[in-house]
Amino acid sequence: MTYSQQALIGSGGYMPEDVWDVMSMIESGKYNLESIITHEFTLKDISKAIITAGKVDEALNVVIKF
């Protein structure tokens, strides 16, 4: 995805069955996934989100809400 001269590149290398397993885990509601989100940003603050995500000592999971 490209937005204002910035590029977001998703990770790859997962087999389709791995993705389906994770989706099933998420849908089950058994796990509190919000507990591992350390930062949330709006799309207008995407630059700050990318900078924050690069701070591996501070950020575990950075979410961009849109």
Side-chain angles (χ1 to χ4, degrees):
M1 179 173 110
T2 301
Y3 179 76
S4 297
Q5 303 297 323
Q6 297 171 348
L8 295 177
I9 302 169
S11 60
Y14 296 100
M15 299 299 292
E17 54 270 14
D18 297 331
V19 175
W20 288 113
D21 288 345
V22 171
M23 293 293 287
S24 295
M25 291 171 62
I26 292 169
E27 289 173 346
S28 75
K30 184 176 179 181
Y31 303 95
N32 180 9
L33 299 178
E34 289 190 18
S35 68
I36 63 171
I37 297 172
T38 56
H39 299 81
E40 291 185 22
F41 295 91
T42 62
L43 192 55
K44 74 176 185 72
D45 290 327
I46 194 166
S47 295
K48 188 174 179 183
I50 292 169
I51 291 167
T52 301
K55 298 177 181 177
V56 296
D57 293 336
E58 298 176 25
L60 178 61
N61 287 292
V62 177
V63 174
I64 301 169
K65 295 182 130 189
F66 59 98

